[in-house]
Amino acid sequence: MHLLGPWLLLLVSECLAFSDSHKWSFYHPHTVYAWEGACVWISCKYTTPKSEDLENVTVYHNAEYSSVTKSYSGTILYRTTKIGEPPSQQERVRFLGGTKNNCSLSISRAHVNDSGRLGLRMMSKTDRWMEEIHLNVSERPLVPRIRLPPEIRESQEATLTCWLNFTCFGYRTQWQWSLEEEPADPSTSTTATTDLIQSELKFQPQWRHHGKNVTCQLWSDREQRVLSEETVRLDVKHRPKLQITVSPREATVKEGDSVSMTCKVVSSNPEHRTVSWLKDGAPLSVQETPTLTLHPVARNMSGQYSCQASNNLGTSESGKVALEVQYAPKNVTAVIQNPTPIREGDRVTVSCNYNSSNPRVTRYQWSHRGSWGQQSPGLLVIQKVAWDDKTVTCAACNSWCSWAPPVNLNVHYAPRDVRVLQTNPRPEIHSGHPVVLQCDFSSSRPGEVRFIWKKNGSFLGEGRELSFNSVSPEDAGNYSCSVSNSIGQTASEAWGLQVLYAPRRLRVSMAPGDSVMEGEKAALTCESDANPPVSQYSWFDWNNQNLRHAGRTLRLDPAKVEHSGAYWCRGASRLGVGESPPSTLTVYYSPETIGRRAAVVLGLCLALLILVIFGVKFWRNWKRSQSQQGLQENSSGQSMRRTPLSEGSHAMGCCNPVMEDGISYAALRFPETDTPGTGDAGSSGMQGLRQDGSDAVTYSVVQKRRVGDYENVAPNSPEDEGIHYSELIQFGAGERPRVREDVEYVTLKH
């Protein structure tokens, strides 16, 4: 038995019916619920007329009243004539009441077929009454319901109530609560009334409980199993919970580097509003985004950083993050002590100097190949300069090292420090921009050099500069240059040319294909060529209607016939927008749908055919009945004789001998035919009608018969009031003939 309807109506804790009359009154549940194998306990109170004692009780199942026998008939579940005796333990239905007030019942081991109307036939000394109670027994145990508070707030005690519209004191059950599959706080209480049983769970929810499931289970001690359960999701209102993540992870950064702090809203209910940042407790008005980016970091940016967010419940502030900005030694220089020109093999002394450092300088580094010795901190002595010694430089180091500009030793050697440079560099190179690459080197002795360019290892040409008037995506690649003199050749490192361009060459690919059957899965993917990649996709159908899908793949699961049509996509990046040509997806009907539609069409055709057949039959029967009725009216009670007319025409007069003192005028014209017919007047007149319709106009005058019973009794109305005129025109094919003046009249008087 389907119990969804009754349970949707049980949102109120008690649903009791009150039957009242001027004699008997009852107080009991309107409907009692149970399940197969459980017992039923029905609480019932009553009062009898004149406070009389109850003498007899009979319990019927689906009782029906007979107006003939003036009595009830049905399955008798219980009958007693001695009120007050202890009920028998062997009876499945027991009456627990007494002679006054109490009419409670109990049913052990309820069955599904017990569902229906229980009729309590109660009799006192002078009166009797039939009271109905509805019993609903389902095959499975009833599902409990969980009642939540109107609002659950963080750290405020909340009470959850799990209830079931079922009562049977002989059926031992227990309530079990769990929060996200873990046993809940044992602060629970269980109560039972005459109509329902319920359990309450009291706890202080935390913000981490938001969105978790609470389950209430009904446990049977006798069966040692869970009979039924109900699960609801908690909606815990709380202020925003914030957490700051720093990149890099250490909050100590070097001046000039970039530091990024992200304020993550771990949870907020209701949804949070804008996020703001504070430094040393003071708001940073220019930073109201979830991510705070400091680039480049300066020394004055050190301090305590935090973020805050608010919702309808209030404002929350995250923990503080200490940012310490350190910097490498400032203004480091390498100074050659002997200013004379340096030749290969000379002894050179170089000192390393700086202005400031945080933290202090702890060591020095030198950049020089060959034999050298450090006499004291910050002083380098090159014992013998090699021919290839070009520059020397130093670095003063604390946590970081600051390098001094290289000092040129001006020693003859092959080209050094060859590298590829971009003239007028841009942060980004877009398609269509002019790009000029320059092959640079630090020094060369001798100075006569030659430049060679290569792309991805393939020769391009010669010259110091490589120019692109309008760079295209196809120009992207790794470029290198080589510089050579009479001493040797030095190649630069590969320099990557990355060209950014808007989305292009968009197309829609379909999987498993462009034709699928309804019910299957279809995936439409927007493929594109873009740098940077497409960040936002839009999908449109054959009506250019936006499908409101922003993903790269549009999934139709399941595909329907109405999904058939052309689709196209639009890809957008920060550089522009591209559109694909339409691609058509065809979704075929499945065999099941074709069968159903064919059956519907066949049924409609059969129904229409039956209606047409019945309509034709009805029309034919109606025409036949009209024809017969006309013949009967013309032939009943009349005698006809034929008189000759002029010009070959025929007229027939009618006389009704029954009508007394009635004068009737009638003229029926029968146009002459090519071959005169034989027979009586009626047949010859019908056969003599010509197809051309000439002389086919008939006039008739009928005088209403007098009402008097005898000839010498005149009627009350004037004679002319009973005269009727009519004109009969030939029916049938052909044109309507013109009216002719040679119409003759026949007067018949009885």
Side-chain angles (χ1 to χ4, degrees):
M1 182 177 292
H2 188 60
L3 299 179
L4 180 59
W7 277 106
L8 291 177
L9 299 177
L10 289 177
L11 299 177
V12 184
S13 61
E14 295 184 355
C15 181
L16 302 177
F18 180 72
S19 301
D20 190 13
S21 70
H22 62 282
K23 293 183 179 182
W24 295 74
S25 63
F26 287 84
Y27 184 80
H28 59 78
H30 179 269
T31 304
V32 179
Y33 296 90
W35 59 85
E36 180 75 27
C39 59
V40 181
W41 192 86
I42 305 174
S43 174
C44 178
K45 300 293 183 181
Y46 74 97
T47 58
T48 59
K50 302 178 184 180
S51 300
E52 294 179 343
D53 291 345
L54 186 66
E55 293 186 352
N56 190 358
V57 175
T58 303
V59 180
Y60 290 91
H61 183 257
N62 294 332
E64 299 292 340
Y65 179 75
S66 175
S67 59
V68 178
T69 61
K70 306 296 182 181
S71 62
Y72 288 90
S73 62
T75 304
I76 297 177
L77 302 178
Y78 176 83
R79 174 180 290 171
T80 181
T81 56
K82 295 181 180 181
I83 305 300
E85 290 185 355
S88 173
Q89 298 294 332
Q90 298 179 353
E91 296 177 351
R92 197 165 67 92
V93 179
R94 293 185 295 168
F95 181 75
L96 306 178
T99 59
K100 291 184 181 296
N101 301 329
N102 189 6
C103 56
S104 300
L105 297 174
S106 69
I107 303 175
S108 61
R109 300 183 306 280
H111 303 294
V112 175
N113 54 11
D114 290 337
S115 298
R117 295 176 286 106
L118 298 180
L120 274 71
R121 183 62 168 168
M122 306 179 70
M123 299 181 183
S124 64
K125 185 176 182 181
T126 61
D127 202 356
R128 62 187 63 187
W129 184 264
M130 171 64 80
E131 181 69 13
E132 287 189 353
I133 302 176
H134 293 269
L135 177 62
N136 192 330
V137 181
S138 60
E139 295 182 358
R140 297 182 179 179
L142 304 177
V143 178
R145 292 292 179 263
I146 297 178
R147 185 186 304 114
L148 298 175
E151 183 179 80
I152 302 177
R153 286 199 177 189
E154 177 187 14
S155 301
Q156 294 183 5
E157 185 178 80
T159 301
L160 279 62
T161 303
C162 184
W163 59 276
L164 182 64
N165 190 28
F166 167 78
T167 301
C168 183
F169 296 105
Y171 196 84
R172 296 179 57 85
T173 57
Q174 293 183 4
W175 294 102
Q176 295 181 351
W177 291 87
S178 62
L179 177 60
E180 202 72 29
E181 299 181 358
E182 294 293 335
D185 192 296
S187 178
T188 59
S189 61
T190 302
T191 59
T193 64
T194 58
D195 302 300
L196 54 85
I197 55 177
Q198 66 180 18
S199 175
E200 291 185 349
L201 172 65
K202 295 183 179 181
F203 72 110
Q204 286 191 345
Q206 303 299 322
W207 68 269
R208 294 181 180 85
H209 293 154
H210 175 64
K212 291 192 175 181
N213 294 328
V214 174
T215 302
C216 172
Q217 296 178 337
L218 182 64
W219 174 268
S220 173
D221 292 342
R222 184 179 66 183
E223 302 180 22
Q224 290 296 305
R225 68 181 182 91
V226 175
L227 299 178
S228 59
E229 64 181 17
E230 173 72 355
T231 300
V232 296
R233 188 176 295 275
L234 292 179
D235 183 16
V236 181
K237 304 294 184 182
H238 57 276
R239 294 186 299 176
K241 305 301 176 182
L242 308 176
Q243 180 181 359
I244 295 180
T245 57
V246 183
S247 177
R249 183 174 300 179
E250 296 79 8
T252 301
V253 295
K254 178 186 176 183
E255 181 184 21
D257 288 351
S258 176
V259 61
S260 176
M261 302 182 189
T262 301
C263 185
K264 180 180 179 183
V265 182
V266 180
S267 179
S268 178
N269 188 23
E271 194 65 26
H272 70 282
R273 293 188 286 271
T274 58
V275 176
S276 59
W277 289 90
L278 300 92
K279 177 191 174 186
D280 298 329
L284 295 176
S285 58
V286 295
Q287 294 289 348
E288 293 185 355
T289 59
T291 301
L292 175 63
T293 301
L294 303 177
H295 179 74
V297 177
R299 285 176 284 179
N300 59 357
M301 293 182 180
S302 298
Q304 300 286 331
Y305 287 82
S306 63
C307 65
Q308 64 180 13
S310 60
N311 58 13
N312 295 337
L313 300 182
T315 302
S316 297
E317 183 177 351
S318 67
K320 298 183 183 301
V321 174
L323 177 63
E324 181 183 357
V325 180
Q326 296 181 348
Y327 56 94
K330 298 291 185 179
N331 299 327
V332 179
T333 58
V335 179
I336 299 176
Q337 300 296 326
N338 45 331
T340 57
I342 301 173
R343 297 182 296 272
E344 181 181 3
D346 290 348
R347 183 178 185 273
V348 178
T349 302
V350 182
S351 63
C352 191
N353 305 324
Y354 67 92
N355 290 337
S356 62
S357 174
N358 182 27
R360 65 182 181 84
V361 173
T362 57
R363 58 189 177 88
Y364 294 90
Q365 293 182 359
W366 294 92
S367 173
H368 179 264
R369 295 184 303 171
S371 58
W372 57 278
Q374 185 174 356
Q375 295 180 347
S376 61
L379 188 64
L380 173 67
V381 177
I382 303 175
Q383 299 295 339
K384 189 176 181 179
V385 176
W387 66 270
D388 57 353
D389 288 343
K390 177 183 178 182
T391 60
V392 60
T393 184
C394 67
C397 301
N398 45 27
S399 298
W400 302 271
C401 293
S402 295
W403 288 89
V407 176
N408 195 348
L409 299 178
N410 199 18
V411 178
H412 282 210
Y413 53 87
R416 300 283 296 172
D417 298 333
V418 179
R419 58 189 182 275
V420 177
L421 298 179
Q422 179 185 356
T423 304
N424 298 325
R426 301 171 180 264
E428 294 179 346
I429 300 176
H430 295 180
S431 177
H433 284 176
V435 177
V436 177
L437 301 181
Q438 186 180 49
C439 186
D440 190 26
F441 61 96
S442 59
S443 62
S444 174
R445 291 293 182 270
E448 294 77 12
V449 295
R450 179 189 177 195
F451 302 91
I452 298 176
W453 287 94
K454 293 183 179 180
K455 176 185 177 183
N456 297 328
S458 300
F459 174 78
L460 282 181
E462 297 185 3
R464 184 162 189 173
E465 291 185 348
L466 182 63
S467 300
F468 300 91
N469 295 329
S470 178
V471 71
S472 65
E474 287 74 15
D475 293 328
N478 294 323
Y479 290 82
S480 62
C481 70
S482 300
V483 182
S484 61
N485 60 8
S486 59
I487 304 300
Q489 177 176 301
T490 304
S492 70
E493 294 183 355
W495 184 87
L497 175 60
Q498 183 179 9
V499 181
L500 304 182
Y501 51 95
R504 62 175 187 171
R505 301 174 183 172
L506 274 75
R507 72 180 189 91
V508 177
S509 64
M510 301 180 180
D514 57 358
S515 298
V516 296
M517 184 177 295
E518 65 172 344
E520 296 181 349
K521 299 179 180 180
L524 283 67
T525 303
C526 187
E527 299 181 354
S528 63
D529 178 18
N531 186 22
V534 173
S535 60
Q536 183 178 1
Y537 292 90
S538 301
W539 287 90
F540 300 86
D541 61 7
W542 52 95
N543 293 325
N544 292 330
Q545 181 179 0
N546 195 333
L547 300 181
R548 305 297 180 188
H549 181 75
R552 182 170 179 260
T553 300
L554 175 63
R555 302 185 185 277
L556 304 177
D557 185 11
K560 301 179 181 178
V561 176
E562 52 266 26
H563 291 159
S564 297
Y567 293 84
W568 60 279
C569 65
R570 176 184 295 163
S573 69
R574 59 186 178 87
L575 299 183
V577 179
E579 295 181 355
S580 71
S583 297
T584 302
L585 174 67
T586 304
V587 182
Y588 295 99
Y589 283 112
S590 64
E592 293 80 3
T593 303
I594 296 175
R596 287 195 300 268
R597 297 202 171 192
V600 172
V601 173
L602 182 59
L604 292 175
C605 293
L606 291 176
L608 182 61
L609 179 61
I610 293 173
L611 290 176
V612 171
I613 293 174
F614 276 100
V616 172
K617 287 186 176 181
F618 175 77
W619 181 79
R620 289 182 177 177
N621 292 337
W622 180 82
K623 293 293 290 183
R624 187 182 295 112
S625 64
Q626 293 294 324
S627 176
Q628 292 176 358
Q629 182 178 359
L631 293 176
Q632 290 176 1
E633 291 178 354
N634 292 331
S635 62
S636 64
Q638 298 183 2
S639 63
M640 310 178 76
R641 65 175 175 267
R642 190 172 175 183
T643 60
L645 298 174
S646 62
E647 297 180 4
S649 301
H650 295 82
M652 182 176 66
C654 301
C655 177
N656 188 354
V658 179
M659 300 176 58
E660 296 183 359
D661 296 334
I663 299 177
S664 302
Y665 301 91
L668 304 180
R669 293 288 305 276
F670 296 92
E672 64 181 359
T673 60
D674 295 338
T675 56
T678 60
D680 55 12
S683 62
S684 64
M686 297 300 293
Q687 295 175 359
L689 294 176
R690 292 188 304 176
Q691 298 299 325
D692 57 1
S694 63
D695 299 332
V697 180
T698 303
Y699 299 87
S700 65
V701 180
V702 180
Q703 181 178 7
K704 197 174 181 184
R705 61 169 298 183
R706 296 182 179 180
V707 183
D709 296 333
Y710 301 98
E711 293 182 359
N712 57 353
V713 179
N716 295 328
S717 60
E719 184 177 3
D720 57 4
E721 291 182 358
I723 298 175
H724 300 272
Y725 300 90
S726 64
E727 176 182 351
L728 303 181
I729 301 176
Q730 177 183 356
F731 293 87
E735 298 181 354
R736 176 178 294 184
R738 296 182 178 180
V739 179
R740 299 182 55 185
E741 299 296 331
D742 56 348
V743 180
E744 298 183 6
Y745 298 86
V746 177
T747 303
L748 300 179
K749 182 176 181 182
H750 180 66

